[in-house]
Amino acid sequence: MQAFNMSIANPLRSLLIYGILLLFANAVSLAKAKIHNHDFVIQATPVKRLCNTRSTITVNGQFPGPTLEVNNGDTLVVKVVNKAQYNVTIHWHGVRQMRTAWADGPEFITQCPIRPGGSYTYRFTIQGQEGTLWWHAHSSWLRATVYGALVIHPKEGTSYPFPKPKRETPILLGEWWDANPIDVIRQATRTGAAPNVSDAYTINGQPGDLYKCSSQDTTIVHVDSGETNLLRVINAGLNQQLFFKVANHKFTVVGADASYVKPFTTSVIMLGPGQTTDVLITANQPPARYYMAVRAYASAQGAPFDNTTTTAILEYKAAPCPAKGVKINPILPPLPAFNDTATATTFTSSFRSARKVDVPTEIDENLFFTVGLGLNNCPAGASSSSCQGPNGTRFTASMNNVSFVLPSNFSLLQAHHQGIPGVFSTDFPAVPPVKFDYTGNVSRSLWQPISSTKLYKLKYGARVQIVLQGTSIFTAENHPIHLHGYDFYILAEGFGNFNPQTDTAKFNLVDPPLRNTASVPVNGWSVIRFVADNPGVWIMHCHLDVHITWGLAMAFLVQNGVTQLEALEEPPVDLPVC
């Protein structure tokens, strides 16, 4: 009997010791995790660009706003005080927000806006993410100037899966309007026409040498010969995919959207709005000054776009000084043509996860979403001044023929949590209501979507596949589709209409990249998968802001699971009211 008791006692004792060690390890890990407190004051600030000074909405008087640096596992507490004249929210782009959907930030989705004079404190923990994300306003077009980098370093005591770079530099690509961006989108909404394109692109807020009144403040990135640096490149632009190059230098891509990737070498990168790419660059050229240059990748045929080029300077510290009075311009890289879809596709299809990943193979929800533009006929009794789209129409956009309408009296998450009826329905279609030749000549009867606030309900833990199918209604273009609250695996992308019989064979189920924003190719498709393990209401939308304004969005309602750790947290006491 004693021997029998001993045989049980030994494994029990081992289990107890293991449990104590695990608790200790967790306690040490939690002890290392930090809480970072920040204050964001949203305010109007005079900002001079392109020879003009205009009142610009900023955070803490900075444009771009402050870079936040944390470690994986840390918690951010950011008190936002709104001293501007517009409603505002802040979205932490790409942060998973596990059970903390109240902190996600999109206006009327997870919260009502912070009114002028009001405040709200965002509280959330970074869990299992490392690399580069960013934050931005998610209210009207305020994110034109209200944005900044969010740098997530590895947990303390761990390191990058590549040699530690000598230094790291956030590179924020943006768009600048001489006009007030809010006025630009309000005019477009009033007229039904496309909004005016931007007047300049910027790198870290500066247009650079090729624009008037700008060369004095051009962004300069200093390097030492032989060193390898990490550039954290973020496309914070409103409406434009962008090509990025550095003259005579190559990049090694090591991360994207706060996930590590299998390193690959390229001389050019392409980012849609919302996307981030981490690249290593080695200063292995003769000491000199080299332009970093950015211009549009504009895939919509015939649509106007900002066809200018922004520059910053990569400057070797040992670069020879020019003789007095002599100006030596940096070397300018040749950039791809604005419509170079082949280069964009080669880049986006090069991404692989750093190692084999656990892709959901059995699917519970097999969804097929069309994405694209449309045209609404002029409403009866409307004046021609409000129908200045093509042939007297108004621009619109949709997913599965539903043009998304934001509520105005409650946020969707609040309505769901409190059981408020009449704010939304849960009948968003799983497939297009009508099958058609998505990338061919589309019947005019399909150009007008319905306008509605429809959500798609997902059970907690559901394994989801979505085919994102571009359409050629009015014009086809590359759409950066962003899903809040989740990362997803991009299994494949291609051109034409998705064909499950032939295209499924192209799926990468071994090491597909993990992203939060997918570039759906022009006149093409992308396939994504994720597990619905984060309860709440999560918007999925095109990150071209003009398209979300027109309704290119939908939202998932992910139900609570069984346990408390699978349920949405209670709303904070200071959640803004509508």
Side-chain angles (χ1 to χ4, degrees):
M1 187 70 181
Q2 192 177 10
F4 176 74
N5 284 339
M6 284 297 291
S7 67
I8 291 178
N10 284 337
L12 280 177
R13 188 171 62 185
S14 300
L15 199 63
L16 188 65
I17 291 167
Y18 173 76
I20 292 167
L21 286 172
L22 194 66
L23 282 170
F24 178 73
N26 284 341
V28 169
S29 174
L30 285 170
K32 282 187 175 179
K34 295 190 180 73
I35 297 174
H36 302 261
N37 290 280
H38 295 277
D39 291 312
F40 276 14
V41 178
I42 312 292
Q43 62 190 57
T45 305
V47 173
K48 186 176 184 181
R49 296 290 186 275
L50 308 181
C51 314
N52 301 316
T53 300
R54 72 165 172 83
S55 182
T56 301
I57 306 302
T58 65
V59 171
N60 300 348
Q62 296 172 239
F63 168 65
T67 293
L68 304 185
E69 296 198 50
V70 298
N71 290 81
N72 179 3
D74 289 355
T75 296
L76 270 164
V77 179
V78 185
K79 182 177 182 180
V80 177
V81 177
N82 186 5
K83 293 189 175 178
Q85 77 243 50
Y86 304 109
N87 293 338
V88 73
T89 64
I90 300 292
H91 169 52
W92 314 93
H93 185 111
V95 173
R96 282 293 318 268
Q97 298 290 358
M98 299 302 294
R99 302 177 56 231
T100 52
W102 305 106
D104 190 43
E107 183 179 54
F108 294 116
I109 305 294
T110 58
Q111 69 167 98
C112 297
I114 307 167
R115 306 285 181 190
S119 68
Y120 178 46
T121 301
Y122 294 89
R123 296 176 178 84
F124 55 91
T125 299
I126 307 288
Q127 298 181 49
Q129 296 182 284
E130 293 179 12
T132 307
L133 296 175
W134 62 301
W135 56 265
H136 60 81
H138 211 297
S139 186
S140 185
W141 272 23
L142 283 184
R143 82 169 179 89
T145 54
V146 178
Y147 62 84
L150 173 54
V151 174
I152 307 168
H153 298 288
K155 286 186 175 179
E156 282 194 36
T158 65
S159 59
Y160 300 122
F162 46 84
K164 187 171 169 57
K166 182 75 183 292
R167 67 189 88 199
E168 305 177 11
T169 309
I171 302 290
L172 292 114
L173 315 180
E175 285 184 271
W176 177 265
W177 277 261
D178 265 337
N180 177 350
I182 302 291
D183 293 342
V184 173
I185 190 55
R186 281 180 177 172
Q187 182 190 10
T189 304
R190 196 167 54 245
T191 63
N196 292 338
V197 299
S198 54
D199 296 291
Y201 299 115
T202 57
I203 299 176
N204 290 356
Q206 295 295 340
D209 289 0
L210 306 185
Y211 298 90
K212 59 185 180 181
C213 306
S214 300
S215 56
Q216 195 176 336
D217 299 303
T218 295
T219 297
I220 298 175
V221 177
H222 295 282
V223 292
D224 280 321
S225 288
E227 73 181 20
T228 297
N229 294 334
L230 178 66
L231 303 182
R232 300 177 176 273
V233 189
I234 300 165
N235 185 350
L238 249 67
N239 295 316
Q240 197 60 65
Q241 286 92 346
L242 296 167
F243 287 121
F244 175 77
K245 282 190 85 168
V246 178
N248 295 8
H249 289 73
K250 290 200 166 176
F251 305 123
T252 301
V253 178
V254 292
D257 293 358
S259 288
Y260 296 119
V261 301
K262 206 161 275 174
F264 66 95
T265 303
T266 178
S267 62
V268 60
I269 66 175
M270 192 284 286
L271 306 92
Q275 292 182 321
T276 71
T277 307
D278 290 349
V279 298
L280 296 173
I281 184 169
T282 300
N284 56 8
Q285 295 300 304
R289 303 168 85 229
Y290 299 87
Y291 272 131
M292 301 176 162
V294 172
R295 71 170 292 183
Y297 165 48
S299 57
Q301 208 169 350
F305 66 96
D306 179 349
N307 195 14
T308 61
T309 302
T310 179
T311 55
I313 297 170
L314 186 77
E315 183 172 294
Y316 282 64
K317 290 183 183 171
C321 292
K324 195 172 180 183
V326 176
K327 187 174 187 288
I328 301 175
N329 287 326
I331 300 159
L332 190 68
L335 284 157
F338 71 87
N339 58 356
D340 190 345
T341 291
T343 292
T345 305
T346 298
F347 177 71
T348 57
S349 57
S350 296
F351 285 87
R352 301 283 182 274
S353 279
R355 57 188 62 83
K356 188 177 186 299
V357 292
D358 188 15
V359 185
T361 49
E362 291 183 16
I363 301 301
D364 303 305
E365 296 277 0
N366 205 340
L367 308 175
F368 188 105
F369 291 174
T370 56
V371 298
L373 303 187
L375 296 174
N376 280 334
N377 292 334
C378 199
S383 72
S384 58
S385 65
S386 65
C387 300
Q388 294 181 33
N391 302 316
T393 59
R394 291 180 59 82
F395 273 111
T396 184
S398 66
M399 298 178 80
N400 275 0
N401 206 46
V402 179
S403 187
F404 190 75
V405 178
L406 283 175
S408 54
N409 295 325
F410 301 96
S411 75
L412 294 174
L413 188 61
Q414 184 186 8
H416 160 61
H417 188 71
Q418 297 177 9
I420 300 165
V423 178
F424 62 84
S425 62
T426 54
D427 56 347
F428 185 86
V431 295
V434 179
K435 262 186 111 172
F436 59 97
D437 181 2
Y438 308 114
T439 55
N441 287 323
V442 183
S443 164
R444 283 294 179 115
S445 63
L446 296 168
W447 284 37
Q448 284 201 90
I450 63 164
S451 295
S452 190
T453 310
K454 293 179 183 289
L455 277 56
Y456 192 90
K457 195 181 282 187
L458 292 172
K459 285 185 177 166
Y460 183 91
R463 295 158 296 187
V464 184
Q465 173 175 296
I466 310 173
V467 176
L468 296 164
Q469 173 69 62
T471 63
S472 58
I473 295 175
F474 183 67
T475 185
E477 65 183 294
N478 184 300
H479 295 279
I481 302 295
H482 172 48
L483 174 59
H484 288 226
Y486 288 89
D487 289 326
F488 47 74
Y489 291 111
I490 303 179
L491 304 191
E493 60 179 53
F495 292 100
N497 298 336
F498 176 77
N499 182 334
Q501 274 71 48
T502 55
D503 290 331
T504 305
K506 302 170 187 170
F507 287 3
N508 176 2
L509 299 175
V510 177
D511 57 357
L514 191 64
R515 303 296 299 260
N516 63 56
T517 306
S519 288
V520 178
V522 55
N523 257 335
W525 50 267
S526 291
V527 179
I528 67 172
R529 283 188 192 174
F530 64 96
V531 176
D533 59 358
N534 193 9
V537 176
W538 306 104
I539 188 170
M540 185 165 77
H541 65 89
C542 182
H543 221 278
L544 305 177
D545 270 32
V546 61
H547 290 181
I548 188 176
T549 305
W550 289 338
L552 212 171
M554 59 78 66
F556 288 107
L557 168 51
V558 181
Q559 297 173 297
N560 284 341
V562 177
T563 68
Q564 187 182 350
L565 290 178
E566 297 174 347
L568 178 69
E569 291 182 359
E570 287 299 307
V573 291
D574 63 337
L575 188 73
V577 294
C578 286

